[in-house]
């Protein structure tokens, strides 16, 4: 194209003058979120997270002075003043003089103290070799014991120097040695009885754990720190400890608790008039409210953090986050006004990992801004972005930081991808991959694998793209425990940063032109769909709690067919396993937007009991999902259809699909499963079943009364032995005790509840409490050793999916998995309790009398409701009841 602008930036090679290093402690910018935590998905919505998870700003150690001589002591005092004012070059000059003077005087401990302080100042200037030399000399002096007698003061200085050594190790990308070093410092402070030093060192340990991906361990440690701090008066250490805890709570998505703890930290910082701690707390509050999608509050907190910041660096990190949020929310005018301010501040930064990270973060925001503004203006940003990234690459080479080099190269590759310069983009991406693999930074590998896959696909190399995409999926699978340890926002991070990789791989494996594909390729596509289910549930729980085991469907039920529908950008693909047959593929060409819009309309129409608006929609969805395979299904003589659903498909009860004459339920029993690899599938035992029934018929916690619950539970008890907990008896503690004392194969809870795309929003109501899915799991998975049999069936008969949440049914699958039950029956929307009671009694009667499997028992109960004239055959009354898990 004649006027096409080509990126042409020559990257100069600078000799590496420092050993490799990586600022895991700075934790402030988006590249860390993608490069260190991208695999963890964690703060993708918050491209600039809080510094060092609340790490105390390193302060020079104090030196005992015994004289007012204005020589070395005065230099140390003035050097400290310069350091605290951010004038690090001046501080270095004075501290070097003081160290030399103390060496001449033979003042070993004072010399060691000054050297450790000097290491801090060198670190601030990015002089890493000098910083290493200084701390090494300090520790050598302190480990020299001429008389074999070590004073308390000597141990104090040693602990402080060890603490600074840990900071330097973490700055150089050595989190494991840093953790060990800080554990040593903690032991010394403990030996000295220095509670404040011990707490600071434990906060440092938590930071190293974060860098290693041990986020739960960091949370546990900081919770222990808080217990100690709660018994102490307010102090800056307490403010920092609370801030650290708040930030980790934010990372693991406990946002209400994070907000509370950060507010406490801010109050203490304001009371003690510490500008840096005030700014840091405001910054963390901004990130937390941003995660809660409170945009105006977040922007206000960022602005307050900028105003309160005592240094340009603290101002800059808040401005960078402010910029990314403005771009994300479409406020382009305000975003553009921030750009020159940030650019000017970046140009004044000294060479350091923090400065490089800020540059890459800024470039990422500008790439997003360039794609969101008018074409001409957006294109005008490209040369500036390229130059910013080129500078970052040069600086990373100077520091010898391969991880930073990789991320800057990969980001520049992404810029080339955006400008359709595919070969240059591919070359840069491959360089980023090579450098990432060379340093074994597996946590930051998958974004470049994904990027390479996209580029190869655009260049027409389908097989190469499949290999790259599969590599990204394999990396994600290997990082499952890290991937779920941190979360910024379920909808944003997972659905935009992870889920597309799986879907795009399926799209490559199943080409739209109906090219003949091998059975192995079809099996690979099925495995990718299964892997997506596991990843979604891991992300839902924020814990690596799923243990998948491959299962052959023919060993579970020889009369069941399994359907894997997956929505792609231009079509719906359905992979089907028919009894005793190889996998088959059925393709329906329909745009993703049309399909998802139809699904949403059907979801809204089904609960409207006086309208038949659902019927043409139910037929359309039937034609897309079932009709292509209908003849093969009929010939296979399958009696049960098992659906592995994802995305918005979960919100639709498959039983309601209509072929123009009958509902799908009238021909097949229907079950849902998050994946055949998730459930140990065994038939319901032939023994006489005992049931624990519990529920609320009275109004509780602002939820309406369910008067028919009492009738429902009493009728079930009339022909199934067990235990009944009604109203006041249905408390958290009673449920726990009852479950611990007796093993019930069936647990039936008739109470209000809600399914959401977030674990915190998925709950049931007891008489005295609201239990989220994790708490419910803890109750049902009692630790009593007498309970050796799992729950065969969990029934939640008055729950509904959260309105306005297009992924709410994920919570239903989540309950089924987390509760440890082999199967779960629940409702997608709230049906009147008289209907629910009627259907539930029918279900248990069929289950016990007809001796059929759970899916068929539910089908027969639903058909009885469907055929009852008083329910007018409307699916509102019977279709919301779904079976998830083991259907046999």
């Amino acid at each position: 194209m004649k006027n096409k602008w080509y990126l042409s930036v020559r990257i100069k090679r600078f000799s590496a003058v420092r050993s490799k290093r990586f600022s895991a402690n700075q934790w402030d910018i988006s590249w860390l979120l993608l490069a260190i935590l991208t695999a963890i998905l964690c703060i993708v919505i918050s491209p600039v997270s809080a510094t060092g998870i609340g790490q105390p700003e390193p302060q020079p150690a104090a030196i005992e002075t015994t004289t007012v001589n204005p020589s070395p002591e005065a230099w140390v005092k003035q050097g400290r003043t310069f350091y605290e004012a951010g004038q690090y070059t001046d501080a270095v000059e004075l501290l070097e003089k003081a160290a030399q003077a103390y060496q001449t005087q033979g003042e070993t401990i004072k010399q060691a103290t000054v050297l450790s302080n000097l290491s801090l100042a060198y670190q601030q200037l990015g002089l890493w070799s000098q910083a290493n030399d200084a701390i090494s000399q300090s520790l050598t002096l302190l480990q020299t014991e001429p008389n074999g007698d070590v004073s308390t003061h000597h141990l104090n200085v040693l602990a402080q120097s060890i603490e600074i050594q840990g900071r330097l190790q973490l700055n150089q990308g050595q989190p494991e040695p840093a953790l060990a070093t800080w554990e040593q410092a903690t032991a010394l402070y403990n030996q000295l009885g220095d509670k404040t030093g011990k707490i600071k060192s434990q906060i440092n340990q938590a930071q190293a754990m974060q860098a290693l991906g041990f986020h739960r361990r960091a949370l546990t440690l900081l919770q222990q720190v808080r217990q100690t701090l709660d018994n102490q008066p307010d102090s800056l250490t307490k403010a920092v400890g609370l801030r650290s805890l708040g930030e980790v709570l934010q990372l693991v998505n406990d946002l209400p608790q994070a907000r509370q703890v950060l507010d406490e930290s801010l109050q203490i910082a304001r009371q003690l008039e510490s500008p840096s701690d005030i700014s840091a707390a405001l910054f963390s509050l901004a990130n937390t409210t941003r995660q809660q999608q409170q945009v105006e509050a977040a922007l206000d907190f960022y602005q307050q953090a900028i105003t309160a910041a005592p240094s340009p660096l603290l101002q800059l990190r808040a401005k960078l986050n402010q910029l990314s949020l403005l771009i994300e929310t479409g406020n382009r005018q305000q975003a553009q006004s921030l750009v020159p301010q940030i650019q000017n501040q970046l140009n004044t930064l000294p060479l350091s990992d923090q400065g490089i990270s800020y540059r890459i973060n800024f470039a990422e925001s500008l790439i997003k801004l360039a794609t969101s503004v008018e074409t001409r203006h957006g294109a005008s940003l490209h040369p500036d972005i390229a130059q910013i990234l080129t500078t970052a690459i040069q600086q990373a080479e100077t520091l010898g930081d391969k991880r930073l080099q990789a991320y800057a190269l990969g980001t520049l590759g992404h810029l080339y991808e955006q400008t359709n310069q595919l070969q240059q983009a591919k070359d840069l991406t491959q360089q980023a991959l090579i450098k990432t693999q060379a340093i074994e930074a597996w946590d930051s590998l998958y974004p470049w694998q994904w990027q390479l896959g996209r580029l190869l696909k655009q260049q027409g190399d389908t097989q190469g793209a499949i290999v790259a995409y599969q590599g990204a999926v394999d990396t994600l699978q290997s990082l499952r425990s890290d991937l779920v340890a941190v979360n910024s926002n379920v909808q944003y991070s997972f659905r935009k940063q992870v889920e597309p990789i799986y879907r795009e791989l399926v799209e490559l494996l199943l080409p739209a032109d109906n090219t003949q594909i091998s059975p192995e390729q079809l099996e690979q596509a099925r495995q990718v769909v299964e892997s997506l289910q596991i990843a979604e549930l891991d992300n839902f729980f924020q814990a690596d709690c799923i243990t998948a085991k491959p299962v052959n469907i023919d060993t579970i039920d020889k009369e069941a067919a399994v359907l894997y529908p997956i929505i792609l950008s231009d079509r719906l693909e359905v992979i089907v396993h028919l009894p005793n047959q190889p996998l088959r593929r059925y393709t329906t060409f329909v745009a993703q937007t049309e399909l998802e819009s139809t699904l949403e309309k059907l979801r809204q129409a089904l609960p409207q009991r006086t309208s038949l608006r659902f019927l043409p929609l139910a037929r359309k969805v039937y034609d897309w999902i079932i009709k292509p395979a209908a003849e093969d299904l009929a010939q296979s003589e399958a009696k049960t259809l098992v659906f592995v659903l994802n995305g918005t498909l979960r919100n639709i009860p498959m039983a309601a699909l209509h072929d123009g004459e009958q509902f799908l339920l009238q021909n097949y029993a229907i079950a849902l499963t998050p994946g055949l690899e998730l459930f140990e599938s065994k038939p319901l035992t032939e023994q006489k079943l005992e049931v624990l029934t519990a529920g609320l018929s009275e109004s509780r916690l602002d939820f309406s009364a369910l008067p028919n619950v009492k009738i429902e539970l009493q009728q079930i008890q009339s022909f199934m032995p067990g235990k009944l907990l009604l109203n006041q008896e249905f408390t958290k503690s009673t449920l726990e005790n009852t479950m611990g004392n007796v093993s019930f194969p069936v647990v039936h809870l008739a109470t209000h509840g809600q399914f959401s795309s977030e674990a915190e929003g998925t709950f049931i109501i007891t008489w005295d409490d609201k239990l989220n899915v994790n708490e419910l799991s803890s109750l049902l998975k009692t630790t009593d050793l007498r309970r050796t049999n799992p729950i065969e069936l969990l029934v939640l008969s008055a729950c509904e999916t959260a309105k306005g949440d297009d992924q709410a049914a994920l919570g239903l699958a989540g309950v089924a998995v987390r509760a440890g039950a082999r199967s779960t029956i629940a409702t997608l929307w709230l049906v009147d309790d008289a209907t629910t009671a009627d259907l539930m009694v029918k279900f248990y009667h069929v289950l016990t009398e007809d001796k059929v499997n759970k899916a068929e028992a539910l089908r027969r109960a639903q058909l009885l409701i469907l055929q009852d004239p008083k329910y007018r055959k409307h699916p509102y009354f019977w279709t919301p009841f779904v079976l998830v898990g083991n259907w046999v």
Side-chain angles (χ1 to χ4, degrees):
M1 190 177 294
K2 185 177 181 180
N3 296 321
K4 180 173 177 62
W5 174 78
Y6 287 90
L7 290 174
S8 179
V9 181
R10 187 171 160 216
I11 302 174
K12 298 179 181 177
R13 294 272 170 190
F14 279 57
S15 60
V17 297
R18 303 286 176 256
S19 62
K20 76 169 185 177
R21 44 175 301 285
F22 163 54
S23 173
N25 70 309
Q26 291 307 328
W27 225 245
D28 323 280
I29 31 39
S30 66
W31 81 268
L32 276 176
L33 308 170
L34 215 51
I36 300 179
L37 295 179
T38 283
I40 323 174
L41 292 185
C42 306
I43 303 238
V44 174
I45 191 172
S46 183
V48 183
S49 73
T51 293
I53 58 167
Q55 172 59 30
E57 290 295 322
Q59 295 295 326
I63 295 178
E64 284 190 354
T65 57
T66 56
T67 174
V68 293
N69 188 321
S71 254
E73 287 80 9
W75 293 333
V76 170
K77 183 176 180 180
Q78 185 60 42
R80 184 183 182 94
T81 301
F82 281 142
Y83 180 94
E84 291 175 345
Q87 298 172 259
Y88 304 118
T89 302
D90 294 331
V92 162
E93 183 180 347
L94 290 174
L95 291 173
E96 285 177 339
K97 290 171 64 176
Q100 184 61 49
Y102 283 130
Q103 182 180 10
T104 302
Q105 295 174 9
E107 295 278 5
T108 303
I109 293 182
K110 290 183 179 180
Q111 181 190 356
T113 304
V114 171
L115 286 167
S116 65
N117 290 341
L118 190 56
S119 178
L120 277 178
Y122 283 140
Q123 290 181 55
Q124 295 291 346
L125 291 171
L127 301 175
W128 307 104
S129 179
Q130 292 92 323
N132 277 308
D133 290 344
I135 199 64
S136 179
Q137 291 177 48
S138 174
L139 290 170
T140 299
L141 289 170
L142 292 168
Q143 288 165 3
T144 302
E145 305 172 17
N147 302 319
D149 186 20
V150 180
S151 66
T152 298
H153 176 55
H154 187 133
L155 289 176
N156 239 318
V157 176
L158 178 61
Q160 291 171 2
S161 293
I162 289 174
E163 197 169 350
I164 292 169
Q165 182 189 37
R167 168 68 37 214
L168 182 57
Q169 288 168 329
L170 194 58
N171 280 345
Q172 295 178 108
Q174 302 166 13
E176 285 189 80
L179 179 57
T181 298
W182 280 326
E183 287 172 344
Q184 184 183 354
T186 302
L188 273 174
Y189 284 126
N190 199 44
Q191 179 183 340
L192 290 164
D194 185 345
K195 292 182 180 179
T196 300
K198 179 181 176 181
I199 288 170
K200 288 181 179 179
S201 194
Q202 287 176 317
I203 293 171
N204 287 334
Q205 285 184 53
Q207 183 178 358
M209 291 173 187
Q210 288 280 75
L212 288 166
F214 303 148
H215 308 286
R216 297 289 172 181
R217 280 180 57 186
L219 179 59
T220 300
L221 179 58
L222 288 170
Q223 286 171 332
Q224 293 171 2
V225 168
R226 178 172 190 176
Q227 290 176 358
T228 303
L229 290 172
D230 283 343
N231 298 319
Q232 294 185 1
D234 291 345
S235 64
L236 290 181
T237 299
K238 188 172 185 176
V240 170
L242 289 171
R243 190 170 76 243
S244 300
L245 175 59
E247 288 162 358
V248 177
L249 286 166
Q250 175 202 344
L251 290 173
V252 298
N253 209 37
D254 190 348
L255 302 181
Q257 186 65 22
R259 180 79 179 266
Q260 179 183 333
V261 172
L262 290 170
D263 278 330
E264 292 179 48
S265 176
L266 177 60
Q267 290 171 13
I268 295 172
R270 282 176 168 162
Q271 177 187 332
L272 299 176
E273 299 180 349
S274 172
S276 61
D277 289 294
I278 292 171
S279 180
L282 288 166
F283 181 79
S284 296
L285 280 165
N287 289 338
T288 302
T289 51
R290 179 178 186 169
Q291 220 166 295
Q292 292 175 307
Q293 300 188 15
Q294 299 173 15
V295 175
E296 292 304 319
L299 288 172
D300 182 57
F301 276 129
Y302 283 135
Q303 191 56 51
Q304 289 185 56
I306 293 167
T307 303
S311 71
L313 276 177
L314 292 177
Q315 291 178 2
L316 185 55
R317 68 169 183 170
K319 285 182 180 179
L320 284 167
N321 259 20
Q322 194 176 47
L323 174 66
S324 66
L325 181 55
L326 288 169
I327 294 170
E328 182 184 306
T329 54
N331 198 330
R332 299 183 305 215
Q333 188 172 357
Q334 269 189 279
Q336 288 170 336
S337 69
L338 265 180
V339 168
Q341 298 177 37
I342 294 173
Q343 180 73 70
N344 290 337
Q345 284 187 268
L346 279 173
N347 290 336
T348 65
L349 293 182
L351 177 63
S352 68
D353 69 314
Q354 191 175 53
I356 298 169
S357 300
Y358 283 177
R359 286 182 185 279
I360 300 172
N361 171 261
F362 185 47
E364 288 180 320
S365 289
L366 289 181
I367 291 172
K368 293 175 184 175
L369 183 62
T371 59
S372 69
V373 299
E374 296 78 6
T375 304
R376 174 183 251 173
H377 186 75
S380 70
L381 290 172
H382 293 150
D384 292 337
I385 300 168
Q387 188 55 58
I388 291 166
L389 289 168
T390 300
T391 300
I393 293 167
Q394 293 169 351
Q395 292 182 342
E397 287 180 344
T398 300
L399 296 179
D401 192 323
K402 289 184 174 60
R403 191 188 286 255
L404 274 174
Q405 289 179 52
Y407 204 76
L409 285 165
T411 305
L412 186 57
H414 180 52
L415 178 62
Y416 276 92
E417 180 186 15
Q418 295 296 100
T419 58
N420 204 35
Q421 295 171 251
L422 302 183
Q423 189 56 47
Q424 296 94 324
K426 176 183 167 184
D427 292 344
L428 288 162
T429 303
Q430 288 175 326
Q431 289 181 52
L433 269 170
I434 290 169
K435 289 186 181 295
T436 302
Q437 290 169 330
I439 59 174
E440 300 182 348
W442 313 122
D443 55 349
S444 56
L445 184 63
Y446 93 85
W448 310 136
Q449 293 171 313
W450 181 20
Q451 186 164 294
L452 180 61
R454 297 195 306 268
L455 292 165
L456 291 170
K457 178 183 176 183
Q458 289 183 72
Q459 290 182 320
D461 185 356
T462 302
Q463 288 307 311
I466 288 174
V467 171
Y469 267 96
Q470 188 63 57
V473 168
D474 291 344
T475 300
L476 287 168
Q477 292 298 100
S478 70
L479 291 170
R480 280 176 58 202
S481 58
D482 283 337
L483 213 142
V484 301
V486 179
N487 182 7
S488 60
N489 177 278
V490 171
Q491 299 297 333
Y492 184 91
S493 63
F494 187 85
R495 295 179 67 185
K496 294 189 177 181
Q497 299 294 331
V498 175
E499 186 177 334
I501 298 175
Y502 292 85
R503 294 188 183 280
E504 289 166 19
L505 177 54
V506 172
E507 200 163 354
L508 285 166
L509 291 167
L510 306 178
D513 59 6
N514 283 318
T515 303
Q516 185 68 31
I517 60 173
S518 66
E520 292 77 18
Q521 199 162 317
L522 194 54
E523 173 61 24
Q524 185 180 357
R526 187 194 73 82
Q527 290 289 345
V528 173
V529 177
E530 290 268 6
S531 297
L532 175 57
Q533 311 305 306
I534 297 170
E536 283 187 303
L537 288 167
D538 280 342
N539 189 62
F540 173 80
F541 290 118
Q542 292 302 287
D544 179 11
C545 61
I546 310 299
T547 302
K549 298 178 181 178
V551 175
N552 184 341
I553 179 62
D554 294 326
T555 66
I556 300 173
D557 184 354
K558 294 182 179 181
E559 296 181 328
V562 186
L563 292 85
Y564 299 83
I566 185 163
I567 302 171
L568 304 179
S569 59
D570 61 346
R571 63 193 187 277
L572 175 72
E573 291 283 359
V574 183
I575 299 172
V576 179
H577 181 286
L578 298 172
N580 299 304
Q581 296 184 36
L583 294 175
R584 300 189 185 190
R585 167 207 181 183
Y586 304 88
T587 304
T588 301
F589 287 93
V590 54
Q592 180 177 355
T593 52
E594 181 186 354
L595 195 154
E596 292 187 339
S597 172
T598 303
L599 290 173
E600 177 57 26
K601 290 176 183 176
L602 178 57
R603 172 65 180 85
Q604 293 176 3
L606 284 170
Q608 297 175 16
R609 65 177 101 179
T610 60
S611 169
L612 296 179
R613 190 169 66 90
F614 74 89
L615 198 53
L617 298 167
R619 183 167 184 176
K620 183 180 285 190
V621 177
Y622 175 93
D623 289 346
W624 287 336
I625 298 177
I626 305 298
K627 187 175 180 180
E631 185 176 340
D632 291 337
L633 288 169
Q635 290 178 356
S636 74
E637 298 184 352
K639 294 183 178 179
T640 303
L641 301 186
V642 182
F643 290 88
V644 181
L645 303 176
N646 60 78
T648 52
L649 285 166
R650 288 196 190 94
N651 294 334
I652 303 300
M654 293 293 110
L657 302 188
H658 202 278
D659 65 4
E661 295 182 3
Q662 291 182 311
F663 291 104
L664 188 61
L665 180 80
Q666 292 175 278
N667 294 310
Y668 299 97
I670 293 171
L672 308 178
T673 177
L676 294 179
E677 297 185 354
L678 298 182
F679 291 91
E680 180 184 4
S681 298
K682 294 182 180 179
L684 202 58
T685 57
E686 297 296 327
Q687 65 182 5
K688 191 172 184 179
L689 295 178
E690 285 191 304
V691 58
L692 170 62
T693 53
L696 299 175
S697 62
E698 299 180 16
S699 174
R700 297 298 295 175
L701 304 179
D702 297 325
F703 285 84
S704 61
L706 298 169
N708 284 282
V709 161
K710 185 175 181 179
I711 300 171
E712 173 185 338
L713 299 186
Q714 288 176 341
Q715 287 189 356
I716 294 171
Q717 284 285 315
S718 68
F719 57 88
M720 289 185 71
K723 176 75 173 178
L724 172 62
L725 302 176
L726 182 64
N727 294 329
Q728 293 92 333
E729 296 177 333
F730 179 32
T731 65
K732 179 178 178 180
S733 60
T734 305
L735 181 61
E736 184 174 19
N737 292 335
T738 305
M739 292 291 296
N741 292 329
V742 182
S743 179
F744 292 97
V746 180
V747 175
H748 183 104
L749 304 178
T751 179
H752 283 290
Q754 176 179 280
F755 305 114
S756 166
S757 60
E758 296 186 20
E760 286 297 318
T762 297
F763 61 85
I764 66 164
I765 300 299
T766 66
W767 182 263
D768 60 344
D769 207 352
K770 179 189 286 188
L771 303 180
N772 68 37
V773 62
N774 291 316
E775 294 168 324
L776 177 62
S777 167
S778 297
L779 287 177
L780 297 179
K781 287 182 175 178
T782 176
T783 57
D784 193 297
L785 295 177
R786 287 170 291 176
R787 181 177 177 81
T788 57
N789 299 318
I791 298 171
E792 294 288 349
L793 175 63
L794 170 67
V795 180
L796 303 170
S797 73
C799 297
E800 61 182 321
T801 52
K803 294 178 176 62
D805 185 344
D806 65 354
Q807 293 282 308
L810 177 63
L812 195 161
V815 170
V817 172
R818 190 68 159 186
R822 286 186 173 144
S823 54
T824 299
I825 291 178
T827 50
L828 289 173
W829 59 79
L830 185 61
V831 186
D832 68 88
D833 66 326
T835 308
T836 301
D838 194 1
L839 188 142
M840 283 294 124
V841 171
K842 286 178 168 59
F843 165 74
Y844 284 111
H845 187 271
V846 171
L847 187 66
T848 54
E849 295 298 321
D850 294 357
K851 302 296 183 183
V852 295
N853 67 35
K854 288 168 278 190
E856 180 61 23
L858 179 60
R859 173 178 176 266
R860 294 185 187 185
Q862 289 174 300
L863 288 176
L864 289 171
I865 298 295
L866 170 61
Q867 293 159 5
D868 191 327
K870 71 180 178 181
Y871 296 120
R872 304 184 304 280
K873 298 189 177 182
H874 197 287
Y876 162 81
F877 296 100
W878 54 268
T879 197
F881 297 88
V882 293
L883 171 66
V884 183
N886 172 23
W887 63 93
V888 295

